[in-house]
Amino acid sequence: MKTRQLGRNGPNVSAIGLGCMSFAGAFGPTDEATSHACLDAAWEAGITFLDTAELYGLGLSESIIGSYRKQHPDRFHIATKGGIRIDENGRRIDNDGAYLRSALEGSLKRLNTDHVTLYYIHRREQDRPIEELIDTLQTFIKEGKIGGYGLSEISPTTLRRAHAIHPCTAVQSEYSLWTRSPELGLVQDCARLGVAFVPFSPIARGMFADQPIQRQDIAQKDFRNENPRFMEPNYSDNIRQIAKFQAFAQSRGWTTSATALAWLLHRGPHMIPIPATRTAAHLAEWQNACDITLTSADMEEIERILPVGWAWGDRYSASQWVAPEKYA
């Protein structure tokens, strides 16, 4: 596995990380043993960067990683996220310093560590001054609890304001061949400022696979069940378009998912995608994406097959749209 630097001042990590949302059952049932087997496979493949969050299963994903760390404490750089509070009052964005400290300390305890490489603000609280938020994160850095801070689903203007106060390590947003909105300034600002860009859902929540998720196989509690891109008639239209991309990948001898990741890696050296899976079998389908070299002709053909804006349906439903910043 090739490596890339996690921001201008961060460590070198694997060019492809592992998203651990699936460990908490967001995309179907799983268990600790299966997740641990996936982590073993990730390590054997050269993956050194894990991404999780307090929100994933209300700490379950972090706890599974923490139990793995009891046996293998030094295997991975870990990124986690906080800033979304869920309590008796429901779900809300909370970037208050005291709350973030409590959230971070809870994450560290579940992860069985006293330090994480990267701590993201999962969503930004719009009414709280960015200066206050960055001051809180700077304090965590000085205390040695986090190596650097990140911001998730933000606008380019928020990145520039935050980075001017203290350098940002990474920005995480959905970015793939079916979600291209970060190209409207965010990808470019990250490159200019030396900030890593970490695309989540880079293989389109399982759609960029040799055998894409079938609509009838999506469980009632699966995140995708109420996602517009997985609802008819959008789902069928998306499947038909993706079939052309599958044929392209097959003609080159590559898996569909590895080709989708290779496209992202080709977008710039600051790209560190984090495909999510809960099984070693699915990880094997894309773990060699770094070995794919896309020519300019390949990139042009992919753009012809899946041009900007081709996907049918919004990337979130109204209930799933939890405060990503809009900037275009």
Side-chain angles (χ1 to χ4, degrees), residues 113-181:
T113 186
D114 58 6
H115 170 92
V116 289
T117 299
L118 179 62
Y119 189 67
Y120 289 101
I121 298 304
H122 208 156
R123 295 290 187 271
R124 182 190 165 200
E125 184 182 356
Q126 294 299 313
D127 293 335
R128 190 173 301 276
I130 193 72
E131 293 79 9
E132 178 185 330
L133 173 58
I134 302 306
D135 182 66
T136 296
L137 296 170
Q138 282 181 297
T139 299
F140 296 160
I141 293 170
K142 292 175 182 176
E143 293 174 350
K145 295 181 183 296
I146 68 176
Y149 79 89
L151 300 166
S152 179
E153 294 275 57
I154 57 159
S155 67
T157 51
T158 291
L159 171 61
R160 294 194 297 268
R161 288 175 61 196
H163 191 81
I165 302 166
H166 184 93
C168 180
T169 297
V171 166
Q172 182 176 133
S173 286
E174 183 176 358
Y175 184 39
S176 71
L177 275 163
W178 82 344
T179 298
R180 303 279 292 271
S181 51

Side-chain angles (χ1 to χ4, degrees), residues 260-271:
L261 289 175
W263 178 87
L264 272 172
L265 293 169
H266 193 83
R267 304 298 286 180
H270 61 311
M271 292 284 162

Side-chain angles (χ1 to χ4, degrees), residues 123 126 152-155 315-316 320-326:
R123 295 290 187 271
Q126 294 299 313
S152 179
E153 294 275 57
I154 57 159
S155 67
R315 67 188 184 103
Y316 286 135
Q320 293 168 345
W321 196 273
V322 185
E325 291 189 342
K326 297 180 180 180

